[in-house]
Amino acid sequence: MKGLLRVATPSIASCPSQCSSPAVFPSQDPLDRADFNAVEYINTLFPTEQSLANIDEVVNKIRLKIRKLDDSIRTVVRGQTNVGQDGRQALEEAQKAIQQLFGKIKDIKDKAEKSEQMVKEITRDIKQLDHAKRHLTTSITTLNHLHMLAGGVDSLEAMTRRRQYGEVANLLQGVVNVLEHFNKYMGIPQIRQLSERVKAAQNELGQQILADFEEAFPSQGTKRPSGPSNVLRDACLVANVLDPRIKQEIIKKFIKQHLSEYLVLFQENQDVAWLDKIDRRYAWIKRQLVDYEEKYGRMFPQEWCMTERIAVEFCHVTRTELAKIMRTRAKEIEVKLLLFAIQRTTNFEGLLAKRFSGCTLADGTVKKPEAPPPSTNPFLEDETGTETDEIVIEKSDTDKPKKPKVPDNPFHGIVSKCFEPHLYVYIESQDKNLSELIDRFVADFKAQGPPKPNVDEGGAVLPSCADLFVYYKKCMVQCSQLSTGEPMIALTTIFQKYLREYAWKILSGNLPKTTSSSGGLTITSLLKEKEGSEVAKFTLEELCLICSILSTAEYCLATTQQLEEKLKEKVDASLVERINLTGETDTFSIVISNSIQLLVQDLDAACDPALTAMSKMQWQNVEHVGDQSPYVTSVILHIKQNVPIIRDNLASTRKYFTQFCIKFANSFIPKFINHLFKCKPISMVGAEQLLLDTHSLKMVLLDLPSIGSQVVRKAPASYTRIVVKGMTRAEMILKVVMAPHEPPVVFVDNYIKLLADCSTDTFQKILDMKGLKRSEQSSMLELFRQRLPAPPSGVENSSSLSLSTPTPEQESSRIRKLEKLIKKRL
């Protein structure tokens, strides 16, 4: 019916649609909507066939609405007939108003111009008077300055001739300041003449003051005056105003004359000039400084810092003289003599730092080192006065706030720099001392034997380790006080050498020896092996020794890293990249790895007889399932004997005990699975017994980290995953063995589902464990190859990858085959 309406009444809907326009005012009428649809509107009016009975009434309503719209349009059109006339009249009125406004604006502009002209006439005279006043003031000021300058120059010349330096000092500064005002008038002859007279007076004053000082402090001959002269004190004030070169010349001549006696007393050919009497040099300058303060302290201005300048010049002269005499007598320098001289010199430099500020060092002769950022390294908490302290590395030390470093001594190296070319004597001595120290450590270890077992307190670090790093600390602090340059790099090389020697001679050299290597059995072990023989195990003392060496290596590893950081702080910034102890830390890591491997091998070898016994049992003859088998009890016994000892001795290095557990699990589980494959044939009851034994071993391995401990801790998640994955595979193997092999398709599918192993070798071993005949195995293997899932094209899945990469069980199987072959041939 709606379709009929759509076809029959388009003319009715088209009229409102054509007449509709965008709504100007808000409206709810559907005819005013912009998206008006006539068909939808008609369907709304006539939703059913019965509603067509009112079609006449609806048409009448629409016609009435159209009539009303026509009336409204007609009314609006008629109302717009007079709009054009009214607009023209309004425009004319607006034009008249604009003309009136323009006339008023023109009148205002004319009045403003007349007012401006009137103001200019009023202020013209005021401006002239203002300019005249400013020029008159400038003229009066200039005349006053000229008068002051002329009088000042006359007075300056007269006072200079009379050597009235006290009055000259104040007058000269004023004359110079006044003369600056006449710089732009130098073209005037009189002004230029006054300027030249001032310069001549300054030159005359300079030469006169220098002559007075030369007369008062001759370079040679006459004795020094007993006290300062007032004339010279005032002359120094005048020198402050003169050319700076005059001041520098006075200072240079006075210091040279003051130190002339020092150069004579400590000539190179004098006995007191050698290093063993270096104290006398510093005692002499201390006396001279006291004498200067008493006699001449008030003669020179305080800002000249004459006391510090004398001390600094003494340091420069001493450094030059010491360097010269040490080059001449280099063969006579011994370590004790060199350290004695350096110690006295650094003490003297420290005394200078306490007494003086170092402000006269800004000439670049000695560069004041920049204070490095605060250290975050706990290797040394405090350097001063702790040369013989032991290095104590605690875990909590890293959380303690570090002490800020004391600012560096500005006088450091001002004299002691001359000893740096001869520090090779010190480095060679430390090389010899460390060699003797390592030899003593080796001898002491052989004499005292391994450390006593101490399971209550954990594995003890070897005492020699602390002694070594205490000596390293002493050497580092001592060398950093001598030099922070190349000698520190040479000392670092010595440290590296003896860290490696300690690792190999003391740590690796004292690890207990085994007859088998980590890779497998040797010919010697095969020749000595007998049926049912017990594998040699480490004694309790040997286990404790291995743990002690492991703890010591861990301590050395951490302390070496801190030593590297501290060396980088001590050395010059340009040499930091040459400090690298990574090779030494790697060496200690190797010692740790070897120690863990020895512990794993020992426990692994102890479990071998039990696993061999398991593989030799007649599992097809087992009639009932009982408690765990004797071999399981033997494995658990060995674990309970070794693991608590190792755990207690590695209490301070918990992470390495975790590594031991992980490595043991990675070694034992594949070996257990390999021996499991050797158990053939197996009956249903035998497989059930083996499944029970496997579960027991799984529980023991999961509890391995805390076995025999009063404090039960949750095993690490990484270790738990390894045990669960490996032992679950062993359980799945036994479950496949227990499954019936008829029908073959179900058995193969069950194998693929449980083991997800696409290796035909593994499947062959399962068939051997079930005791199937070769003919049955051939058909099974063919079916197995057919049922294998096809790998994705172009991508090797995990199963195909497992075929290309030998598993630990395959590697162990190859070793066993090699063992059998060698036994057979022998």
Side-chain angles (χ1 to χ4, degrees):
M1 182 63 191
K2 290 182 179 180
L4 292 173
L5 286 173
R6 293 189 187 101
V7 175
T9 59
S11 60
I12 300 176
S14 63
C15 181
S17 174
Q18 294 170 359
C19 296
S20 64
S21 62
V24 179
F25 298 103
S27 174
Q28 299 296 328
D29 193 341
L31 295 175
D32 294 331
R33 292 174 58 184
D35 56 345
F36 174 75
N37 190 314
V39 176
E40 291 181 359
Y41 182 68
I42 292 174
N43 289 334
T44 304
L45 295 176
F46 305 104
T48 60
E49 293 184 13
Q50 290 78 10
S51 60
L52 291 174
N54 300 326
I55 189 171
D56 295 334
E57 182 181 350
V58 172
V59 171
N60 291 333
K61 287 182 180 181
I62 291 176
R63 288 174 178 172
L64 178 63
K65 191 169 184 178
I66 292 171
R67 193 178 299 115
K68 288 181 179 180
L69 287 174
D70 291 341
D71 294 341
S72 298
I73 293 170
R74 191 179 301 110
T75 303
V76 171
V77 170
R78 290 174 179 175
Q80 294 295 324
T81 54
N82 298 327
V83 170
Q85 184 177 357
D86 295 341
R88 286 192 296 273
Q89 184 178 357
L91 180 61
E92 292 175 358
E93 293 176 356
Q95 289 175 346
K96 291 179 181 179
I98 290 172
Q99 290 177 355
Q100 294 175 359
L101 180 61
F102 180 76
K104 292 180 180 180
I105 291 173
K106 186 176 181 182
D107 293 340
I108 293 172
K109 183 178 179 181
D110 294 340
K111 293 179 180 179
E113 291 176 351
K114 291 179 180 179
S115 299
E116 184 180 1
Q117 187 66 27
M118 188 182 300
V119 170
K120 286 182 179 179
E121 293 176 357
I122 294 173
T123 58
R124 183 181 297 114
D125 296 335
I126 297 175
K127 287 183 178 180
Q128 291 176 352
L129 291 174
D130 185 53
H131 289 313
K133 178 184 176 183
R134 184 163 56 251
H135 295 160
L136 183 60
T137 301
T138 303
S139 301
I140 293 172
T141 303
T142 304
L143 288 173
N144 287 335
H145 286 162
L146 182 60
H147 177 70
M148 292 169 57
L149 180 61
V153 171
D154 293 337
S155 301
L156 181 63
E157 293 174 344
M159 292 177 182
T160 301
R161 288 190 294 270
R162 294 193 298 269
R163 283 183 166 80
Q164 294 176 346
Y165 295 133
E167 292 80 1
V168 169
N170 296 325
L171 179 60
L172 180 60
Q173 184 64 54
V175 169
V176 172
N177 292 338
V178 172
L179 187 61
E180 292 177 357
H181 293 282
F182 291 92
N183 287 336
K184 56 185 176 182
Y185 303 115
M186 286 299 171
I188 301 173
Q190 291 81 1
I191 302 299
R192 186 167 60 251
Q193 183 181 3
L194 287 174
S195 174
E196 292 174 354
R197 290 175 61 188
V198 171
K199 292 180 179 178
Q202 287 177 324
N203 293 333
E204 184 180 353
L205 275 172
Q207 297 300 325
Q208 190 170 297
I209 290 172
L210 289 176
D212 291 343
F213 268 94
E214 182 66 28
E215 181 181 353
F217 302 101
S219 301
Q220 296 177 353
T222 59
K223 188 179 179 181
R224 296 180 189 173
S226 59
S229 170
N230 292 333
V231 175
L232 296 180
R233 181 169 62 247
D234 294 338
C236 291
L237 298 177
V238 176
N240 269 337
V241 185
L242 295 174
D243 191 333
R245 289 178 294 180
I246 303 298
K247 170 185 171 183
Q248 295 297 331
E249 189 68 21
I250 293 172
I251 293 173
K252 180 179 178 181
K253 287 187 176 182
F254 179 82
I255 294 177
K256 182 178 180 182
Q257 192 274 341
H258 213 72
L259 295 178
S260 59
E261 180 184 350
Y262 172 71
L263 293 174
V264 174
L265 291 176
F266 294 91
Q267 286 183 358
E268 186 176 350
N269 56 359
Q270 300 293 327
D271 291 338
V272 293
W274 189 228
L275 300 180
D276 58 344
K277 297 181 178 60
I278 199 170
D279 280 340
R280 297 190 182 184
R281 293 177 182 267
Y282 305 132
W284 183 89
I285 190 60
K286 292 175 186 177
R287 291 194 302 270
Q288 293 303 311
L289 292 178
V290 172
D291 181 67
Y292 166 81
E293 292 288 351
E294 293 176 353
K295 294 181 179 180
Y296 310 106
R298 291 182 296 173
M299 187 174 73
F300 295 98
Q302 186 176 1
E303 64 269 16
W304 285 22
C305 303
M306 284 299 295
T307 309
E308 181 177 329
R309 290 180 185 276
I310 293 172
V312 170
E313 183 62 25
F314 165 82
C315 292
H316 295 332
V317 172
T318 302
R319 184 177 63 188
T320 303
E321 293 297 320
L322 287 176
K324 188 189 303 180
I325 194 172
M326 283 192 292
R327 281 196 303 270
T328 305
R329 304 172 62 178
K331 295 182 179 180
E332 301 178 31
I333 300 176
E334 298 178 353
V335 177
K336 292 183 179 180
L337 180 62
L338 182 65
L339 293 180
F340 167 79
I342 293 174
Q343 182 184 6
R344 294 296 187 269
T345 302
T346 52
N347 291 343
F348 175 70
E349 292 172 349
L351 181 64
L352 293 180
K354 294 178 181 178
R355 175 66 178 80
F356 305 117
S357 63
C359 60
T360 61
L361 299 175
D363 57 356
T365 305
V366 177
K367 184 178 179 182
K368 183 176 180 180
E370 299 179 356
S375 171
T376 57
N377 179 25
F379 185 76
L380 293 176
E381 293 184 354
D382 191 3
E383 295 177 7
T384 57
T386 60
E387 293 186 4
T388 58
D389 295 343
E390 290 189 0
I391 303 172
V392 181
I393 305 298
E394 298 289 346
K395 291 184 179 179
S396 60
D397 284 352
T398 55
D399 301 329
K400 295 179 181 178
K402 307 300 179 299
K403 298 180 181 179
K405 193 172 183 177
V406 180
D408 288 324
N409 175 6
F411 294 92
H412 176 69
I414 192 171
V415 179
S416 58
K417 197 76 174 177
C418 66
F419 297 110
E420 187 166 322
H422 304 278
L423 285 178
Y424 67 90
V425 178
Y426 172 78
I427 301 299
E428 291 174 355
S429 172
Q430 298 308 321
D431 188 2
K432 180 180 177 182
N433 293 341
L434 283 169
S435 177
E436 294 175 353
L437 188 64
I438 294 295
D439 292 340
R440 180 166 62 84
F441 289 161
V442 174
D444 290 347
F445 192 94
K446 292 180 180 179
Q448 298 173 5
K452 302 298 181 183
N454 191 0
V455 296
D456 295 331
E457 299 182 2
V461 176
L462 297 179
S464 59
C465 174
D467 295 341
L468 178 66
F469 282 102
V470 165
Y471 192 82
Y472 272 12
K473 174 186 176 182
K474 179 181 177 181
C475 294
M476 181 181 63
V477 173
Q478 196 174 50
C479 188
S480 64
Q481 293 174 350
L482 306 180
S483 172
T484 57
E486 288 294 336
M488 283 292 288
I489 301 299
L491 185 67
T492 302
T493 304
I494 298 298
F495 284 174
Q496 291 175 299
K497 173 183 175 182
Y498 289 103
L499 282 173
R500 292 191 295 268
E501 285 202 12
Y502 185 85
W504 296 124
K505 290 184 178 180
I506 308 299
L507 300 181
S508 292
N510 288 302
L511 283 173
K513 302 298 186 294
T514 58
T515 57
S516 61
S517 61
S518 59
L521 297 176
T522 63
I523 301 297
T524 305
S525 63
L526 291 174
L527 292 174
K528 292 183 178 180
E529 184 178 346
K530 296 180 180 179
E531 292 296 329
S533 63
E534 288 293 332
V535 179
K537 288 181 56 179
F538 290 138
T539 62
L540 175 61
E541 289 76 11
E542 289 175 331
L543 287 177
C544 293
L545 173 61
I546 295 173
C547 293
S548 180
I549 290 175
L550 193 154
S551 300
T552 304
E554 192 270 340
Y555 176 86
C556 292
L557 175 64
T559 312
T560 301
Q561 292 171 345
Q562 296 171 4
L563 174 64
E564 179 180 359
E565 293 299 321
K566 202 60 186 179
L567 286 169
K568 289 181 178 179
E569 290 180 13
K570 296 289 184 183
V571 80
D572 291 340
S574 59
L575 302 175
V576 168
E577 294 182 355
R578 295 174 61 183
I579 304 290
N580 187 359
L581 303 183
T582 305
E584 287 63 43
T585 55
D586 291 344
T587 301
F588 288 115
S589 298
I590 292 173
V591 174
I592 293 172
S593 179
N594 291 342
S595 301
I596 295 175
Q597 190 62 34
L598 278 178
L599 296 173
V600 171
Q601 286 181 16
D602 179 63
L603 183 56
D604 208 14
C607 297
D608 276 347
L611 296 180
T612 303
M614 175 191 76
S615 61
K616 292 182 178 181
M617 287 183 62
Q618 301 296 324
W619 292 103
Q620 73 275 22
N621 298 331
V622 178
E623 298 179 353
H624 61 277
V625 179
D627 295 334
Q628 62 185 25
S629 301
Y631 76 89
V632 176
T633 305
S634 176
V635 170
I636 295 174
L637 178 62
H638 289 304
I639 290 176
K640 288 184 176 180
Q641 286 176 349
N642 283 31
V643 173
I645 297 174
I646 297 172
R647 181 183 59 244
D648 294 340
N649 278 275
L650 296 181
S652 59
T653 54
R654 189 75 186 176
K655 62 179 180 180
Y656 293 117
F657 174 70
T658 302
Q659 287 188 20
F660 160 75
C661 294
I662 292 175
K663 286 190 175 183
F664 175 71
N666 283 328
S667 174
F668 176 80
I669 294 175
K671 185 179 292 187
F672 172 74
I673 293 176
N674 187 56
H675 280 78
L676 203 62
F677 284 133
K678 294 181 180 181
C679 299
K680 54 186 178 182
I682 303 176
S683 63
M684 179 65 70
V685 178
E688 292 177 358
Q689 180 64 49
L690 278 173
L691 187 61
L692 175 63
D693 295 342
T694 302
H695 182 74
S696 299
L697 288 175
K698 180 180 178 180
M699 292 297 103
V700 171
L701 290 176
L702 288 174
D703 191 43
L704 182 70
S706 59
I707 193 167
S709 175
Q710 296 178 354
V711 180
V712 179
R713 292 184 180 180
K714 185 178 180 181
S718 58
Y719 171 76
T720 303
R721 284 196 299 269
I722 292 172
V723 173
V724 170
K725 181 179 179 181
M727 296 306 289
T728 301
R729 174 176 170 81
E731 292 175 342
M732 292 300 103
I733 290 172
L734 292 172
K735 289 182 179 180
V736 171
V737 172
M738 292 169 59
H741 60 279
E742 294 292 343
V745 174
V746 176
F747 176 76
V748 171
D749 291 343
N750 191 36
Y751 168 84
I752 296 174
K753 178 180 178 182
L754 291 178
L755 286 183
D757 189 348
C758 299
S759 170
T760 54
D761 291 341
T762 305
F763 188 69
Q764 176 76 52
K765 293 175 183 178
I766 296 291
L767 298 179
D768 290 340
M769 293 173 70
K770 291 183 68 66
L772 296 181
K773 297 178 181 180
R774 289 297 176 184
S775 58
E776 295 176 327
Q777 290 186 14
S778 299
S779 58
M780 283 283 191
L781 286 171
E782 184 63 29
L783 180 61
F784 171 73
R785 294 188 183 93
Q786 295 175 2
R787 304 291 292 182
L788 280 177
S793 59
V795 180
E796 292 188 2
N797 56 11
S798 59
S799 61
S800 61
L801 186 62
S802 66
L803 289 173
S804 61
T805 304
T807 63
E809 300 133 1
Q810 293 170 344
E811 290 292 338
S812 180
S813 175
R814 292 174 183 176
I815 293 171
R816 293 300 177 183
K817 288 179 181 178
L818 177 62
E819 175 188 346
K820 289 181 179 179
L821 179 62
I822 295 174
K823 281 184 180 180
K824 189 178 296 183
R825 293 190 176 183
L826 291 174

